[in-house]
Amino acid sequence: MSARWKVLSSRKVYEAGGRFTVSIQRIKLPDGRIVKDYYQIWMPESAIIIARTAADKVVLCRQYRHGIGAVSLVAPAGTGEPGETTLQTAKRELLEETGYSGGKWRFLGDFALHANYGSGTVAVFLADGVKRTAEPVSDDLERTEVVLKSRREIAGAVKSREMVSMGTIASLSLAKYL
Amino acid sequence: MSARWKVLSSRKVYEAGGRFTVSIQRIKLPDGRIVKDYYQIWMPESAIIIARTAADKVVLCRQYRHGIGAVSLVAPAGTGEPGETTLQTAKRELLEETGYSGGKWRFLGDFALHANYGSGTVAVFLADGVKRTAEPVSDDLERTEVVLKSRREIAGAVKSREMVSMGTIASLSLAKYL
């Protein structure tokens, strides 16, 4: 099967205020062909959290997402701060965004948002038995409504198009909620 | 709930050779606050296809994906050519990448790869009862191995980390294969 591509050189061509960078790589394919301009989008690693309560409801956020241009139901998620492990990021984001914490945490794996562009590895966590312990303290631009959803309601949200984020859907599937 | 953000202006700041563009938007939030630099990554709409044979196997591609830096199991997918509907894109990509065609096609919805950045709406299709009718004709950089996977093998591929693309996992979940 195809072997790893060799990156001959890489130059940063755009830096988006610390959020992501665009690079152009010069690449040598396994068959010897040279690709002069393979674009990569680099984003910091992020964490997404499927958190369930003792009553088997999943803690989700109803939030305007500008990339979609609509209010959407998404799993809590966020990018890491300097020095954080992805587990620390996940716990911080869950608490900040929803006010829930505690429970037993399990790492479900690192996944790829864009297998071509390399933009953003996502560490998926399952938190089992979380409780509301604080008020959400979000400094996000979006106002967030924290909602608890059953398995059946989650399936309904996909059908009704209230849930359209592939990251959220994939994570719920990995956690066996879809 | 939060209303739609108002885009006051938008300027393209980077164009990646027709593959994607980066824009900075000036935005007015529902509460009146102004955000001066909200980044958006625009990518063409793409299609992803969960195609199953009469024997209930899913047609997948084992392919090196440079964004991951590894060989990965992904669903056939691709971006539209000028003038194509997403259904036409989906049928063309399936045939080109795998040599499979035919069957009954169903649109499962448009989904978002990145709910924040707007990068790339993905139209998900389920093709039921496809058959191998041609040789794959791929001009992709990656050599592709076409493989047929059962439900159980798909679950195994996620566990073994052979399948890590969130788009593929979400699409398989939408098609009830995960």
Side-chain angles (χ1 to χ4, degrees):
Chain A
M1 263 314 293
S2 29
R4 209 178 160 92
W5 293 359
K6 189 168 178 189
V7 179
L8 301 175
S9 64
S10 180
R11 62 192 170 96
K12 197 187 286 183
V13 290
Y14 190 76
E15 159 94 45
R19 288 162 211 278
F20 59 87
T21 57
V22 179
S23 299
I24 297 181
Q25 297 184 336
R26 184 179 166 87
I27 280 171
K28 188 174 181 180
L29 300 182
D31 63 9
R33 279 183 294 168
I34 301 290
V35 181
K36 282 189 297 189
D37 56 349
Y38 200 87
Y39 287 92
Q40 292 280 279
I41 303 173
W42 182 89
M43 292 181 187
E45 186 163 22
S46 62
I48 186 165
I49 309 101
I50 306 301
R52 65 178 163 212
T53 65
D56 200 27
K57 300 263 185 146
V58 178
V59 184
L60 297 171
C61 301
R62 189 179 280 133
Q63 202 174 53
Y64 176 83
R65 302 307 283 268
H66 188 56
I68 301 170
V71 172
S72 194
L73 201 60
V74 295
T79 52
E81 290 181 355
E84 270 184 345
T85 64
T86 50
L87 177 59
Q88 288 167 336
T89 302
K91 290 184 170 179
R92 177 180 54 72
E93 288 285 349
L94 181 69
L95 183 62
E96 284 178 7
E97 289 195 2
T98 70
Y100 281 79
S101 65
K104 275 184 69 175
W105 287 68
R106 193 150 68 90
F107 175 56
L108 300 184
D110 279 322
F111 294 86
L113 269 182
H114 239 294
N116 286 337
Y117 291 117
S119 51
T121 301
V122 185
V124 181
F125 290 93
L126 174 62
D128 200 359
V130 296
K131 285 183 180 158
R132 174 113 185 195
T133 55
E135 282 297 308
V137 283
S138 178
D139 55 356
D140 282 350
L141 302 174
E142 309 88 356
R143 256 174 305 168
T144 297
E145 185 190 357
V146 178
V147 290
L148 297 181
K149 294 285 185 187
S150 68
R151 200 173 294 268
R152 175 189 294 254
E153 288 167 329
I154 289 168
V158 173
K159 260 197 193 133
S160 72
R161 323 284 309 131
E162 193 185 357
M163 185 181 283
V164 295
S165 155
M166 289 199 130
T168 292
I169 291 169
S171 300
L172 283 164
S173 170
L174 292 166
K176 312 287 181 211
Y177 272 88
L178 268 176
Chain B
M1 264 314 294
S2 29
R4 207 179 161 90
W5 294 358
K6 189 168 178 190
V7 179
L8 301 175
S9 64
S10 180
R11 62 191 170 95
K12 196 188 287 184
V13 290
Y14 190 75
E15 159 94 45
R19 290 163 209 277
F20 59 86
T21 58
V22 179
S23 299
I24 297 181
Q25 298 184 335
R26 184 179 167 86
I27 279 170
K28 187 176 182 180
L29 300 182
D31 64 7
R33 278 182 295 168
I34 300 291
V35 181
K36 283 189 295 186
D37 55 349
Y38 199 88
Y39 287 91
Q40 291 279 279
I41 303 172
W42 181 89
M43 290 182 189
E45 187 165 20
S46 63
I48 186 165
I49 308 102
I50 306 302
R52 65 178 164 213
T53 64
D56 201 27
K57 299 266 185 142
V58 178
V59 184
L60 297 170
C61 300
R62 189 179 282 134
Q63 202 174 53
Y64 176 83
R65 301 309 282 267
H66 188 56
I68 301 170
V71 171
S72 194
L73 201 58
V74 295
T79 53
E81 290 182 355
E84 270 185 344
T85 64
T86 49
L87 177 60
Q88 288 167 336
T89 303
K91 289 184 171 180
R92 178 181 52 73
E93 289 285 350
L94 180 68
L95 183 62
E96 284 178 8
E97 289 194 2
T98 71
Y100 280 78
S101 64
K104 276 183 66 175
W105 287 68
R106 192 150 68 89
F107 174 57
L108 300 183
D110 279 321
F111 293 87
L113 268 182
H114 239 293
N116 286 338
Y117 292 118
S119 52
T121 301
V122 185
V124 181
F125 290 93
L126 175 62
D128 200 0
V130 295
K131 285 181 181 159
R132 174 114 186 195
T133 56
E135 282 296 308
V137 283
S138 179
D139 56 354
D140 283 351
L141 301 175
E142 308 88 356
R143 257 174 304 169
T144 298
E145 185 189 357
V146 178
V147 291
L148 297 180
K149 293 285 185 188
S150 68
R151 198 174 295 271
R152 175 189 293 255
E153 289 167 329
I154 289 168
V158 174
K159 261 199 193 134
S160 72
R161 323 282 314 128
E162 194 186 357
M163 185 182 284
V164 295
S165 155
M166 289 199 132
T168 292
I169 291 168
S171 300
L172 284 163
S173 171
L174 292 165
K176 311 290 182 210
Y177 272 89
L178 267 176

